[in-house]
Amino acid sequence: MNNLCVAHRGFSGKAPENTMAAFRMAMAEPYVQWMEIDTQLTADGIPVVIHDFSLDRTTSGSGKVKAHTWQQLQRLDAGSWKGRAFQGERIPSLDEVLRLSCGRVRLNIELKTSGNMYPGLEQAVLERVSRYHMEQDVVITSFDTGALQRVKEINPAFKTGLILDGRPKDLPSRLKALQCSFLSIGHPNLDSGLASLLISEGIKVMAWTIDDARGMKRIAAMSPEILICTNRPDVWRKTFPG
């Protein structure tokens, strides 16, 4: 199947992002072959799946994710903000998401970090991925180049990808220097020239985040190999039927 569908934070158009409800809803669709998730560390070093550094937008809590223990985060409601039907959804641990995904769907795991915000994040994530033997089904991505370098230092066998919302001139050489075989790029920055250059260099490209059919078709016209990251897998399905 061309232009594979990547469910952004799960089926986050309909369910609360980065929750088990969103992941189950995405995985219920046979055409969803990838999910993109975000991971950070609790105060006691547990990798959890949440996007913002702060708890305020998507949970009943407030303050920084990193200031709370796993036990404290478990008490929060991470679903009600999206609708009453999702009341009681929790922030999942990375372990829970890996257990659900294992053998069923591939994961783009974004390390949400900056500088030395989360010492040990890379190690904690890689250990858990290896525990589920998902090394071949995962790409580790980040905006933070230091985090990507640390992944390669810990285990060079892991696939890594840079996330960009821009278009630097020396992109292929930057990716090579980082030993990245994957690029996650904001879709407005991508055109067919850049797409074909990256693909010819052996880089897997994912365009994010596209929720309308027109945008999806624009990317698909560049190359069938570009992954399409979307909050709306249902729109992807209507755009690429059969």
Side-chain angles (χ1 to χ4, degrees), residues 143-168:
F143 281 98
D144 190 272
T145 53
L148 296 173
Q149 287 163 328
R150 286 189 290 275
V151 169
K152 286 294 186 186
E153 282 161 20
I154 296 164
N155 188 340
F158 269 87
K159 289 192 284 287
T160 55
L162 182 64
I163 309 174
L164 274 182
D165 195 10
R167 204 185 149 138

Side-chain angles (χ1 to χ4, degrees), residues 23-197:
F23 300 138
R24 286 195 189 96
M25 198 179 282
M27 288 168 60
E29 305 299 348
Y31 54 86
V32 172
Q33 297 190 24
W34 280 85
M35 295 194 305
E36 186 271 348
I37 69 173
D38 306 284
T39 188
Q40 301 179 52
L41 285 184
T42 62
D44 48 350
I46 307 288
V48 289
V49 177
I50 184 171
H51 176 271
D52 297 6
F53 292 132
S54 151
L55 295 164
D56 298 66
R57 180 176 65 89
T58 60
T59 80
S60 57
S62 64
K64 295 268 195 289
V65 173
K66 64 178 286 185
H68 295 72
T69 63
W70 168 239
Q71 208 173 2
Q72 287 170 326
L73 292 180
Q74 286 296 278
R75 297 187 197 123
L76 303 178
D77 181 322
S80 291
W81 67 278
K82 191 76 174 178
R84 197 173 294 163
F86 300 108
Q87 189 176 348
E89 279 295 320
R90 297 189 333 271
I91 297 171
S93 66
L94 179 59
D95 269 291
E96 289 173 280
V97 181
L98 291 169
R99 202 176 302 133
L100 181 72
S101 310
C102 190
R104 295 174 65 192
V105 70
R106 301 172 87 181
L107 293 178
N108 173 342
I109 302 176
E110 179 179 346
L111 303 175
K112 294 301 292 188
T113 185
S114 180
N116 61 357
M117 182 184 222
Y118 282 124
L121 174 64
E122 300 81 15
Q123 184 78 45
V125 169
L126 299 191
E127 275 173 9
R128 281 158 176 85
V129 171
S130 298
R131 192 181 294 167
Y132 292 91
H133 308 291
M134 285 184 72
E135 296 94 337
Q136 297 309 307
D137 296 319
V138 159
V139 61
I140 307 288
T141 60
S142 192
F143 281 98
D144 190 272
T145 53
L148 296 173
Q149 287 163 328
R150 286 189 290 275
V151 169
K152 286 294 186 186
E153 282 161 20
I154 296 164
N155 188 340
F158 269 87
K159 289 192 284 287
T160 55
L162 182 64
I163 309 174
L164 274 182
D165 195 10
R167 204 185 149 138
K169 284 194 167 53
D170 54 347
L171 199 42
S173 56
R174 273 179 72 172
L175 294 169
K176 204 161 275 172
L178 286 166
Q179 302 175 65
C180 285
S181 56
F182 192 97
L183 176 70
S184 176
I185 187 166
H187 75 93
N189 302 299
L190 199 56
D191 61 32
S192 51
L194 180 58
S196 52
L197 172 66

